């Protein structure tokens, strides 16, 4: 469970707690990311303007229709049905315009937001490919997955709602306010007497909801991390009876998520009753003052009818704006998490002088030299110190030593998964920093102790080692490794589907598939990090025979704890605390009676006495 490690408390959200990026900055950045959609957004603005204008004008013309009826009755001339018909037809046209404007504006808004979400997902995936291994090793995979899925979905939903409804609400407020002032500026001022009270309450709500939304999405990542660990480590959890412990940790994190989500939604939902109360108070004022103005002849009956409708209607967009402001807090919290990830320092760029053919393919031999190499995962705490080593083409080099001696670190430096702190590593006389990373790694085949398979067929998993590999090449690689017979015994043979954990095949078979994948890649340099640790003795013999063929003419590094697998190595390197303490063949190192001799005796010597 690399990167997880049962980080029971405080892991996933810790980096964000110290982040200097505020929500306003995240929102501005999201708006800037809409720049490629500027023409669609402009279309949304125009269409929403047309639709809202039609909606805002409707009460005014309905008031005119009322005046036509009242004036006809008052004048005792009868209702002018032609004029009434014309007004009502115009009102119907306004309703149709409003519906069409809102519909097509909503379509453009959805396209714009989904395109932004698509770009965020693509950038996030590309970011993963560029991140340094040192960063991924320290992060919770569950939290990273939550950022790339839940947070991006929340951003899309937030922008969809706010882009659509906020623009419409702002236009509505402006339009209604303009007509209200035109109908009666004095009554408009009276209607807004209680508005400052509502605005003050909304400011307080925003202040209370903001930290809760930030905490909500941090805790979402933490819960995702715990769930991911419980799934990937299900066998270990069951074997050690950790179900109750995981349940306790999950319950605690889930309770905190519930608490943050409940409080955030509670405070944000307060906007509706508060604005409803403000609207009701405003309605009372309009009813009383407006009635007096009708009596005094300052307003017509149709005018007060329209004004009352506007005073009731304006509460809805104001409430919508308040609600969208709260929703923006949630989207901004997710934006912080996504941009925190996207702004993470990436692996060191290739030097400007680096290129693919530093050593042309036909001249590559696989001669490797470590010269005074030093490296530490943490500054001031070196893992490898002043290591010098020469390996010639075709040599099988075994690296042994106690846990933490720097064996795996050595090959990680060769692949430039980490950058060295001092010294140099050269392949065929060229510094590996002069190669592009893709070119360097194309020369190296690597089989790890922890197998990695993806969801797909066995054929697809083996073919992953070589772009465009044919079925015949896949079969040839499987036959060379000795796994072809095992594959053909499966119900669907090479078309057998396996999951990302490969749970429907044995651990030994999974390891053999990864070795076949490395074989198919036909590398100049081969790295086997405990590659036979998961296979039985008979399978190990098959693998060793296949590896002998694969090593022919290639430089190979074998990291091994089982010393029986490296007796025939051309060179055995013994590492202790980052230093090479012994070098030689199996026989010479045994004869020397040093660290290797003691290590060998501890594995193979029988009990004494």
């Amino acid at each position: 469970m690399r990167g997880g490690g049962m980080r029971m408390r405080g892991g996933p959200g810790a980096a964000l707690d110290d982040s200097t990026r505020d929500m306003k900055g995240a929102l501005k950045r999201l708006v800037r990311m809409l720049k490629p959609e500027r023409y669609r957004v402009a279309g949304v603005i125009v269409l929403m303007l047309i639709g809202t204008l039609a909606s805002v004008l409707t009460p005014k013309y309905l008031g005119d229709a009322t005046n036509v009826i009242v004036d006809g009755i008052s004048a005792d001339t009868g209702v002018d049905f032609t004029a009434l018909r014309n007004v009502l037809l115009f009102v119907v046209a306004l309703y149709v315009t409003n519906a069409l404007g809102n519909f097509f504006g909503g379509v453009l808004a959805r396209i714009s937001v989904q395109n932004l979400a698509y770009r965020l997902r693509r950038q996030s995936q590309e970011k993963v490919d560029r991140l340094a291994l040192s960063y991924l090793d320290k992060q919770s995979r569950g939290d990273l997955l939550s950022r790339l899925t839940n947070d991006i979905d929340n951003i899309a939903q937030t922008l969809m709602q706010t882009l659509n409804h906020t623009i419409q609400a702002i236009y509505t407020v402006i339009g209604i306010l303009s007509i209200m002032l035109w109908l009666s500026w004095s009554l408009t001022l009276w209607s807004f007497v209680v508005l400052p009270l509502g605005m003050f309450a909304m400011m307080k709500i925003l202040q209370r909801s903001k930290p809760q939304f930030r905490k909500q999405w941090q805790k979402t990542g933490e819960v995702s991390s715990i769930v991911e660990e419980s799934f990937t480590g299900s066998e270990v959890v069951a074997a050690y009876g950790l179900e109750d412990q995981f349940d306790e940790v999950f319950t605690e994190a889930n309770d905190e998520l519930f608490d943050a989500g409940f409080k955030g939604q509670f405070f944000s939902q307060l906007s509706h009753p508060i604005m409803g109360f403000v609207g009701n108070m405003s309605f009372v004022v309009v009813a009383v003052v407006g009635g007096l103005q009708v009596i005094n002849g300052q307003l017509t009956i149709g005018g007060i009818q329209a004004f009352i409708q506007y005073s009731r209607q304006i509460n809805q967009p104001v409430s919508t704006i308040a609600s969208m402001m709260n929703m923006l807090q949630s989207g901004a919290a997710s934006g912080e998490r996504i941009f925190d990830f996207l702004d993470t320092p990436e692996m060191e760029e290739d030097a400007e002088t680096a290129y693919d053919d530093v050593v042309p393919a036909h001249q590559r031999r696989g001669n490797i030299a470590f010269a005074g190499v030093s490296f530490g995962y943490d500054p001031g705490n070196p893992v490898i110190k002043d290591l010098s080593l020469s390996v010639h083409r075709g040599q099988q080099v075994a690296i042994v030593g106690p846990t933490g001696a720097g064996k795996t670190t050595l090959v990680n430096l060769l692949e430039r998964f980490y950058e060295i702190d001092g010294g140099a590593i050269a392949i065929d006389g060229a510094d590996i920093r002069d190669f592009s990373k893709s070119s360097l790694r194309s020369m190296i085949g690597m089989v790890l102790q922890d197998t990695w398979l993806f969801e797909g067929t066995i054929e697809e998993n083996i073919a992953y080692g070589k772009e465009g590999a044919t079925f015949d090449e896949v079969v040839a690689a499987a036959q060379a490794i000795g796994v072809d017979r095992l594959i053909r015994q499966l119900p669907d043979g090479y078309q057998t589907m396996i999951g990302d954990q490969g749970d429907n095949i044995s651990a030994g078979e999974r390891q053999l598939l990864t070795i076949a994948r490395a074989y198919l890649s036909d590398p100049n340099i081969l790295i086997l990090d405990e590659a036979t640790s998961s296979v039985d003795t008979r399978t190990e013999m098959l693998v060793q025979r296949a590896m002998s063929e694969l090593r022919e003419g290639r430089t190979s590094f074998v990291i091994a704890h089982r010393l029986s697998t490296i007796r025939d190595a051309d060179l055995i390197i013994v590492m202790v605390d980052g230093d090479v303490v012994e070098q030689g063949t199996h026989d010479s190192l045994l004869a020397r009676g040093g660290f290797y001799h003691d290590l060998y005796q501890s594995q193979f010597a029988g009990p004494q006495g």
Side-chain angles (χ1 to χ4, degrees):
M1 289 184 281
R2 186 170 72 179
M6 288 282 288
R7 65 183 74 227
M8 294 305 181
R9 304 301 310 139
L16 284 179
D17 293 336
D18 300 325
S19 176
T20 58
R21 182 183 297 106
D22 58 11
M23 289 187 173
K24 184 181 293 185
L27 287 174
K28 288 181 178 178
R29 191 163 173 181
L30 286 172
V31 171
R32 287 198 299 270
M33 289 192 68
L34 281 171
K35 186 177 180 180
E37 308 299 321
R38 57 188 178 275
Y39 296 116
R40 290 191 181 93
V41 173
V44 172
I45 293 173
V46 172
L47 288 170
M48 289 296 177
L49 175 60
I50 295 172
T52 304
L53 182 61
S55 175
V56 168
L57 290 174
T58 301
K60 195 271 179 189
Y61 282 95
L62 285 174
D64 290 346
T66 301
N67 285 334
V68 169
I69 297 172
V70 172
D71 291 344
I73 295 174
S74 299
D76 203 24
T77 58
V79 178
D80 186 348
F81 286 101
T82 300
L84 182 61
R85 181 198 61 191
N86 293 336
V87 172
L88 293 179
L89 286 175
F90 188 69
V91 168
V92 171
L94 290 176
Y95 281 134
V96 172
T97 302
N98 170 255
L100 292 176
N102 291 341
F103 173 77
F104 288 109
V107 169
L108 290 180
R110 282 191 290 273
I111 294 174
S112 301
V113 171
Q114 290 304 318
N115 285 344
L116 182 144
Y118 173 84
R119 289 195 297 273
L120 274 177
R121 293 189 183 96
R122 185 181 63 191
Q123 291 176 15
S124 298
Q125 178 57 50
E126 292 173 350
K127 182 72 176 185
V128 171
D129 296 335
R130 298 193 302 267
L131 282 173
L133 191 62
S134 57
Y135 173 81
L136 294 174
D137 277 342
K138 297 176 183 178
Q139 299 302 308
S140 161
R141 287 179 293 183
D143 182 60
L144 290 178
L145 287 172
S146 181
R147 297 192 195 202
L148 272 58
T149 53
N150 296 333
D151 285 299
I152 292 180
D153 285 344
N154 184 51
I155 288 172
Q157 182 179 359
T158 298
L159 289 180
M160 182 65 242
Q161 294 290 327
T162 53
L163 184 61
N164 220 351
H165 297 306
T166 304
I167 293 176
Q168 187 178 28
I170 291 174
Y171 282 153
T172 302
V173 169
I174 294 174
I176 290 178
L177 185 59
S178 300
I179 295 180
M180 288 174 68
L181 288 170
W182 177 68
L183 289 172
S184 175
W185 64 267
S186 59
L187 188 56
T188 302
L189 295 179
W190 276 107
S191 66
F192 288 121
V193 168
V194 293
L195 184 61
L197 177 63
M199 299 306 297
F200 175 78
M202 292 307 305
M203 293 297 296
K204 291 297 182 182
I205 289 174
L206 288 175
Q207 292 174 4
R208 297 295 297 273
S209 62
K210 181 190 298 184
Q212 298 303 325
F213 282 123
R214 179 186 286 114
K215 184 179 180 182
Q216 175 187 358
W217 292 106
Q218 290 174 351
K219 292 303 175 182
T220 299
E222 187 170 333
V223 168
S224 298
S225 176
I226 295 171
V227 171
E228 189 270 340
E229 287 180 349
S230 68
F231 273 114
T232 57
S234 57
E235 293 181 359
V236 176
V237 171
Y240 286 91
L242 296 175
E243 292 91 347
D244 291 341
Q245 184 176 354
F246 258 101
D247 183 66
E248 179 182 344
V249 173
F250 174 82
T251 300
E252 183 179 352
N254 196 33
D255 286 344
E256 292 181 356
L257 173 58
F258 172 83
D259 182 68
F262 177 82
K263 289 180 179 178
Q265 293 299 323
F266 174 78
F267 287 125
S268 66
Q269 291 302 317
L270 282 177
S271 61
H272 292 287
I274 288 175
M275 296 311 299
F277 174 78
V278 171
N280 288 330
M281 292 299 99
S282 176
F283 176 74
V284 172
V285 173
V286 170
V288 174
V289 178
L292 294 174
Q293 289 189 356
V294 171
I295 293 173
N296 295 330
Q298 295 175 279
L299 269 177
T300 64
I301 293 178
I304 190 60
Q305 173 195 326
F307 199 98
I308 289 176
Q309 288 188 62
Y310 283 127
S311 67
R312 301 298 288 174
Q313 285 185 7
I314 199 170
N315 292 323
Q316 178 61 38
V318 170
S319 179
T320 297
I321 292 173
S323 179
M324 292 301 103
M325 291 299 294
N326 280 288
M327 181 174 285
L328 278 174
Q329 305 304 313
S330 175
S334 290
E336 283 185 289
R337 286 168 51 80
I338 284 294
F339 293 135
D340 176 80
F341 170 74
L342 292 177
D343 292 341
T344 299
E346 301 174 0
M347 69 176 73
E348 185 175 320
E349 293 283 346
D350 290 330
E352 293 184 2
T353 56
Y355 58 98
D356 292 339
D357 294 328
V358 177
V359 178
H362 67 279
Q363 296 181 9
R364 295 175 182 175
R365 300 292 181 266
N367 298 309
I368 302 172
F370 292 78
V373 172
S374 61
F375 170 77
Y377 292 101
D378 300 312
N381 186 23
V383 176
I384 292 179
K385 297 160 284 187
D386 194 28
L387 184 147
S388 295
L389 174 69
S390 294
V391 181
H392 302 294
R393 176 189 181 186
Q395 279 192 313
Q396 178 191 355
V397 180
I399 308 174
V400 301
T403 300
K407 305 183 296 296
T408 301
T409 300
L410 186 67
V411 295
N412 282 341
L413 295 178
L414 179 61
E415 291 241 43
R416 286 188 69 190
F417 291 149
Y418 296 90
E419 299 293 343
I420 60 177
D421 297 329
I425 304 175
I427 296 179
D428 294 327
D431 194 308
I432 61 173
R433 287 168 291 197
D434 292 336
F435 289 90
S436 66
K437 289 188 179 71
S438 59
S439 174
L440 171 67
R441 292 166 186 169
S442 69
M443 300 165 57
I444 304 172
M446 194 170 189
V447 180
L448 303 175
Q449 180 178 2
D450 296 328
T451 59
W452 178 81
L453 300 173
F454 58 86
E455 187 171 350
T457 65
I458 287 179
E459 178 190 354
E460 291 170 339
N461 272 273
I462 296 177
Y464 194 76
K466 178 182 178 182
E467 186 175 359
T470 65
F471 178 73
D472 290 339
E473 290 175 320
V474 169
V475 173
Q479 290 173 340
I481 296 303
V483 72
D484 176 71
R485 178 180 59 84
L486 297 174
I487 294 174
R488 294 187 184 278
Q489 290 176 351
L490 296 172
D492 297 318
Y494 282 88
Q495 303 310 311
T496 300
M497 291 292 298
I498 55 178
D500 56 352
Q501 299 297 319
D503 293 333
N504 54 338
I505 58 177
S506 70
E509 290 168 338
R510 293 199 300 270
Q511 190 65 281
L512 286 169
L513 292 181
T514 62
I515 295 172
R517 179 194 296 164
Y519 184 95
L520 182 61
S521 68
D522 192 23
N524 299 95
I525 301 167
L526 182 65
I527 296 173
L528 304 174
D529 188 351
E530 285 292 328
T532 60
S533 62
S534 300
V535 298
D536 56 49
T537 304
R538 173 174 170 75
T539 305
E540 180 180 330
M541 294 174 59
L542 296 174
V543 172
Q544 291 294 343
R545 188 179 304 121
M547 288 298 101
S548 296
E549 297 179 7
L550 178 60
R551 290 195 303 267
E552 186 67 30
R554 297 180 176 89
T555 306
S556 59
F557 289 85
V558 179
I559 300 174
H561 289 292
R562 294 162 62 178
L563 301 186
S564 62
T565 62
I566 48 94
R567 291 177 179 176
D568 297 330
D570 299 307
L571 178 64
I572 298 175
I573 299 171
V574 184
M575 296 189 67
V576 178
D577 295 331
D579 293 324
V580 176
V581 296
E582 293 178 347
Q583 298 185 49
T585 63
H586 172 75
D587 293 335
S588 67
L589 290 175
L590 284 180
R592 187 178 301 175
F595 188 92
Y596 181 82
H597 174 273
D598 295 339
L599 189 63
Y600 185 84
Q601 290 298 317
S602 69
Q603 289 192 20
F604 296 102
Q608 301 299 317

